[in-house]
Amino acid sequence: MSVKESPAWKALEQHADTMQSTHLRDLFLQDTPVDAPANIDKTNSRFDTFSVSNGSLLLDFSKQRITQTTLSLLKNLSRDCQLERWKERLFSGDTINTSENRPALHTALRLPYNSQLSLDNHNIVTDIQANLAHMSSMVARIHAGQWRGYSGLPIDTIVNIGVGGSDLGPLMACKALSDSQPPAGQQLKMHFVSSMDGSQIANLLDQLSPTTTLFIISSKSFTTIDTLSNANTARQWLKSASGVKDELLNRRHFIGVSASPDKMSQWGIPEKSQLNFWDWTGGRYSLWSAIGLPIALRIGMSGFKEMLSGAHAMDEHFKNAPFEENLPVQLGMIGIWNINFLNIHAHAILPYDGRLSHLPAYLEQLEMESNGKSANRQGNSIDYHTCPILWGEIGPNAQHAFYQLLHQGTESVMCDFITPARRYDGFENTELQQQHQLSLANCLAQSRLLALGDSAIEGNDKAPIHKRYRGNQPSTTVLIDELTPYSFGQLIALYEHKVFVQSVIWEVNPFDQWGVELGKKMATELLKPLLNEDAPATFDSSTTGLLNSILSLQTLDKELK
Ligand SMILES: O=P(O)(O)OC[C@H]1O[C@](O)(CO)[C@@H](O)[C@@H]1O
């Protein structure tokens, strides 16, 4: 039976008939006024009713188009879809990634060291801890200047080569936690290379010293062509600059991180320089594994472990907190309400902190690669919406770019405003501190205006139409007390679990990504004519036309030389 047939889904559809025409302005009008007499209970304000907090995070859902009835119907839906049973299956290591026949155990990577989790009668926490210890010793050697390049000089520059989950998580975390540097003397220059066309690596190599640069080749599969071609370019650069043998370069200048040790060895990375993880860690869920090596190098091993603790705290909260207090469950279920019942299919991620500039790109992969699906677990096509289109940008910058559409366009968009409350500790009363307050003021102003529209500014409802604001764009504000490794771990685990909650309701497997496979195969076919190799004669006319144009432009180029 499709979820659409469940009584809870049908009840939500009915409820949505009323809520579709209810404006957030009116929902806020029902609030108890803030200046109500002291003897009036003010705890029934929308904020009090619809905000939940845990640890370092507070989620304000009061600007969502919901009532208490909405939440209780969503609770019924989560019950109909057996969310509790799915949570148990996730955490216990059940084979829930059925199309790849394996569990999804990223939560095991952040279990305390003395925990037990048995997979095939083996406590995997032992392996995880052994891996962390190996990673820790590498980090210590590099920080101590004991990892030396081919000429004997200590490594001072790290280049992470990876793509997708082997790039976005570490890239995001290194920027987000840039205030948590390791002690002086242990600081490294850090770069990330992902793009297949070589443009990032070509520009970067010009600025680096081959004697002191270490490359981390990060790839779960170790077959991703984007990563391997960048890795080959890096090795060729080292070879031409040094004139030394591959064996020495591989040993001194490369670390491999992968779930496929054989392939790392085939490429030439010696076993001692390999860090492994497991096929039960999905690429986009892998920053907690050895894929997080750049994070540990950036913030130190203790900071990395704090990040794991923060994520673990969120795991425990997700596992145990009741529906009403459960942050990921509420975030996920209110998303379901917006997408499936209010028909909102665009989702903007708006961090009000420049350190979170890579969060939108990270969440694009996390959400869209996980839940951008249209077949259910039973192998049937589904007839309801799943993951919306996600995009985002640092909020204040986006204000000068696409907020016009959010405020006055024709599309309904749900937004996540994400900001730390405290920043610039030790910079009290400085210009910098003021900048943080300015950013907070903008964050609050924008979510307020998006929700309330004209009614937020007296008299604006009399303005000419091009100056009017319709409002009613729902948003959640995620308030982080302060951005630290711990709170960052909580934040990312919050979104991971939100994605899981939604996958349960939509009955999709969030841990595979078959939709990215065929394009890779097709590119292999198309590479043949571009390399003057035998190629199948026929493509569609557009592809053939473009190929011919490219090849003739390239021939012209050669002739002119
Ligand atoms: O880590 P790998 O195996 O190089 O894969 C990189 C990325 O490519 C994908 O498989 C998509 O092609 C992502 O799921 C993954 O994060």
Side-chain angles (χ1 to χ4, degrees):
M1 181 182 87
S2 154
V3 62
K4 280 180 82 175
E5 306 307 317
S6 82
W9 186 285
K10 291 194 182 304
L12 277 158
E13 277 177 335
Q14 263 188 9
H15 175 58
D17 288 344
T18 332
M19 291 302 288
Q20 282 284 9
S21 54
T22 307
H23 198 287
L24 270 164
R25 173 189 55 227
D26 301 316
L27 293 173
F28 272 95
L29 275 177
Q30 291 157 19
D31 249 2
T32 307
V34 208
D35 56 357
N39 59 348
I40 301 243
D41 179 9
K42 289 184 203 136
T43 53
N44 61 351
S45 77
R46 273 190 78 72
F47 177 79
D48 289 319
T49 312
F50 297 115
S51 61
V52 271
S53 61
N54 180 262
S56 324
L57 305 182
L58 180 148
L59 268 58
D60 173 21
F61 296 116
S62 62
K63 295 192 191 91
Q64 291 289 349
R65 290 159 57 188
I66 53 172
T67 63
Q68 299 267 35
T69 308
T70 323
L71 288 186
S72 80
L73 294 175
L74 287 170
K75 184 175 178 178
N76 294 345
L77 181 64
S78 73
R79 201 180 294 138
D80 283 4
C81 295
Q82 304 190 312
L83 180 58
E84 288 306 314
R85 191 175 68 87
W86 278 101
K87 281 203 268 176
E88 275 165 33
R89 295 189 68 189
L90 170 75
F91 284 103
S92 65
D94 214 349
T95 308
I96 54 175
N97 179 357
T98 39
S99 73
E100 294 176 320
N101 195 28
R102 57 196 185 209
L105 271 174
H106 43 286
T107 52
L109 298 166
R110 46 228 195 189
L111 281 172
Y113 74 96
N114 52 359
S115 316
Q116 295 258 336
L117 182 64
S118 183
L119 193 66
D120 301 328
N121 295 320
H122 173 71
N123 181 18
I124 58 168
V125 182
T126 320
D127 302 345
I128 293 167
Q129 291 304 319
N131 223 278
L132 265 178
H134 188 190
M135 181 167 154
S136 190
S137 73
M138 280 183 174
V139 170
R141 264 183 73 198
I142 296 169
H143 279 168
Q146 289 164 356
W147 192 300
R148 291 170 188 270
Y150 66 87
S151 73
L153 285 173
I155 292 301
D156 65 8
T157 303
I158 305 290
V159 180
N160 188 79
I161 299 181
V163 72
S166 301
D167 167 67
L168 291 167
L171 172 67
M172 165 185 68
C174 284
K175 177 89 185 274
L177 303 174
S178 51
D179 291 354
S180 315
Q181 298 273 355
Q186 299 183 353
Q187 289 162 12
L188 298 154
K189 284 166 247 150
M190 189 82 78
H191 303 277
F192 289 84
V193 164
S194 55
S195 76
M196 174 194 272
D197 70 329
S199 49
Q200 284 173 325
I201 194 153
N203 291 339
L204 180 64
L205 293 178
D206 286 344
Q207 303 155 33
L208 301 183
S209 160
T211 51
T212 56
T213 300
L214 175 69
F215 295 91
I216 303 174
I217 314 300
S218 276
S219 174
K220 180 180 174 185
S221 58
F222 228 77
T223 57
T224 305
I225 193 71
D226 321 43
T227 299
L228 293 181
S229 53
N230 277 320
N232 290 335
T233 299
R235 189 159 55 189
Q236 195 169 56
W237 170 76
L238 279 168
K239 232 164 135 171
S240 337
S242 66
V244 301
K245 287 196 179 133
D246 270 10
E247 190 275 326
L248 182 62
L249 294 178
N250 289 343
R251 187 154 42 85
R252 300 281 183 97
H253 291 272
F254 291 94
I255 289 177
V257 184
S258 178
S260 180
D262 293 352
K263 296 215 171 70
M264 286 195 273
S265 300
Q266 272 162 29
W267 194 83
I269 295 179
E271 214 173 300
K272 276 190 179 166
S273 307
Q274 297 180 7
L275 283 170
N276 300 319
F277 63 108
W278 302 271
D279 68 355
W280 43 254
T281 308
R284 54 193 172 276
Y285 299 86
S286 66
L287 87 164
W288 323 100
S289 72
I291 290 287
L293 176 64
I295 312 172
L297 287 168
R298 169 63 115 192
I299 66 171
M301 205 61 206
S302 61
F304 185 74
K305 287 183 180 168
E306 273 176 49
M307 183 185 88
L308 297 182
S309 302
H312 176 66
M314 183 52 71
D315 294 340
E316 289 296 298
H317 168 77
F318 177 52
K319 218 193 292 184
N320 301 319
F323 181 95
E324 292 75 11
E325 291 161 29
N326 199 308
L327 272 58
V329 172
Q330 297 261 321
L331 193 62
M333 293 307 294
I334 291 172
I336 294 281
W337 167 246
N338 285 332
I339 297 157
N340 298 109
F341 301 97
L342 297 183
N343 294 318
I344 303 175
H345 306 302
H347 189 163
I349 305 295
L350 306 166
Y352 274 69
D353 185 320
R355 292 171 298 174
L356 292 173
S357 60
H358 296 297
L359 180 67
Y362 177 83
L363 292 182
E364 282 163 19
Q365 187 198 16
L366 179 67
E367 300 223 7
M368 297 199 278
E369 203 175 63
S370 296
N371 282 341
K373 315 258 163 89
S374 52
N376 69 9
R377 288 179 171 279
Q378 289 75 44
N380 301 319
S381 290
I382 52 188
D383 57 352
Y384 43 83
H385 285 276
T386 58
C387 187
I389 292 166
L390 245 93
W391 90 109
E393 179 56 88
I394 300 173
N397 295 10
Q399 287 177 199
H400 301 281
F402 59 77
Y403 273 44
Q404 167 64 39
L405 177 145
L406 300 185
H407 286 297
Q408 291 187 320
T410 52
E411 295 302 316
S412 282
V413 181
M414 54 189 149
C415 303
D416 285 5
F417 289 87
I418 303 152
T419 186
R422 291 188 280 142
R423 176 133 202 230
Y424 299 124
D425 198 18
F427 288 85
E428 283 73 19
N429 304 320
T430 61
E431 286 292 332
L432 213 48
Q433 241 284 328
Q434 299 264 333
Q435 283 195 260
H436 176 56
Q437 303 304 81
L438 183 64
S439 171
L440 284 170
N442 274 271
C443 179
L444 296 177
Q446 292 294 337
S447 62
R448 178 168 145 78
L449 191 53
L450 280 171
L452 303 179
D454 288 331
S455 71
I457 305 278
E458 206 174 327
N460 211 62
D461 53 346
K462 311 274 178 327
I465 192 154
H466 61 275
K467 292 188 176 173
R468 300 277 301 275
Y469 289 74
R470 81 186 140 85
N472 216 23
Q473 297 280 43
S475 71
T476 295
T477 300
V478 179
L479 188 64
I480 311 165
D481 64 2
E482 197 177 357
L483 195 54
T484 62
Y486 187 88
S487 64
F488 176 77
Q490 280 194 308
L491 177 74
I492 301 307
L494 164 78
Y495 275 98
E496 284 180 349
H497 294 318
K498 168 225 163 158
V499 166
F500 182 70
V501 168
Q502 296 190 332
S503 77
V504 169
I505 307 302
W506 290 325
E507 299 184 291
V508 300
N509 174 2
F511 300 116
D512 62 10
Q513 57 284 320
W514 294 101
V516 301
E517 291 309 319
L518 215 49
K520 295 181 197 171
K521 271 200 192 146
M522 203 174 274
T524 312
E525 282 307 297
L526 277 156
L527 191 58
K528 291 179 187 162
L530 286 163
L531 295 178
N532 291 323
E533 289 170 8
D534 281 347
T538 50
F539 296 110
D540 59 276
S541 71
S542 165
T543 309
T544 308
L546 287 168
L547 254 179
N548 291 339
S549 304
I550 292 166
L551 290 171
S552 64
L553 283 166
Q554 291 183 347
T555 315
L556 193 67
D557 203 26
K558 275 186 207 142
E559 283 168 5
L560 287 175
K561 282 181 192 157

